[in-house]
Amino acid sequence: AQKITQTQPGMFVQEKEAVTLDCTYDTSDPSYGLFWYKQPSSGEMIFLIYQGSYDQQNATEGRYSLNFQKARKSANLVISASQLGDSAMYFCAMRGTSGSRLTFGEGTQLTVNP
Amino acid sequence: NAGVTQTPKFQVLKTGQSMTLQCAQDMNHNSMYWYRQDPGMGLRLIYYSASEGTTDKGEVPNGYNVSRLNKREFSLRLESAAPSQTSVYFCASSQSWGELFFGEGSRLTVL
């Protein structure tokens, strides 16, 4: 079974500062992928970044980077230079080798203050 | 760019009524999914279809049925709606190992 844990129900950050959103996972699959999604108040799900378990380098996409620590089973999302538009719910998710299904965490509500 | 289209976007039902949520994708993806989102619980998988002609149960399949009509379409049916099925429902699609592309969501209220 796969499990994703996001321990921060809510986070606050000042505009232009960096913020880290935590995600830990549990799986027995030898190969897996980790995803982050953003859900603004309008409700749509927006894909942000992907990390494969065998990728040598941490994934980066613009202001988003993934701090992947395989031994600790963590895949934290780092947002640099926060913007007001980053205020949203953020979900960590994982897919293992046992199927195509994606398992989501409970989410972290990020608020960026001016 | 239609992507994933789901209908209806809003629906109010009475307990015991039935309804079908429709989903279609135009990205030629093999896999399709139905999730429900409830406050504080993230997204939970109801059913998924890894490829045309196959469907499998997710975490919370009770009270739902699905049909993978063809490669493009994946419908979710509530045979006898219950207040516990009040939720926001998301359809999604993906290639086998890629990211999920989501529809805009369908808000269902069961009275």
Side-chain angles (χ1 to χ4, degrees), chain A residues 31-33 35 37 39 42-45 47 50 89 91 95-107, chain B residues 31 33 35 37 40-43 45 48-50 57-59 90 94-104:
Chain A
S31 177
Y32 48 89
F35 303 77
Y37 282 83
Q39 187 179 42
S42 52
E44 71 267 33
M45 295 288 289
F47 167 71
Y50 168 81
M89 181 73 83
F91 292 99
R95 171 187 282 135
T97 53
S98 53
S100 61
R101 54 198 292 173
L102 212 65
T103 300
F104 284 81
E106 295 179 355
Chain B
S31 302
Y33 313 81
Y35 285 88
Q37 183 178 22
M41 303 190 75
L43 278 79
L45 184 63
Y48 68 105
S49 171
K57 295 179 179 179
E59 301 171 68
F90 284 96
S94 74
Q95 290 293 25
S96 298
W97 277 90
E99 72 268 28
L100 269 61
F101 292 81
F102 285 85
E104 294 181 339

Side-chain angles (χ1 to χ4, degrees), chain A residues 52 60 84-85 89 110:
Chain A
T60 61
L84 296 178
M89 181 73 83
L110 175 67

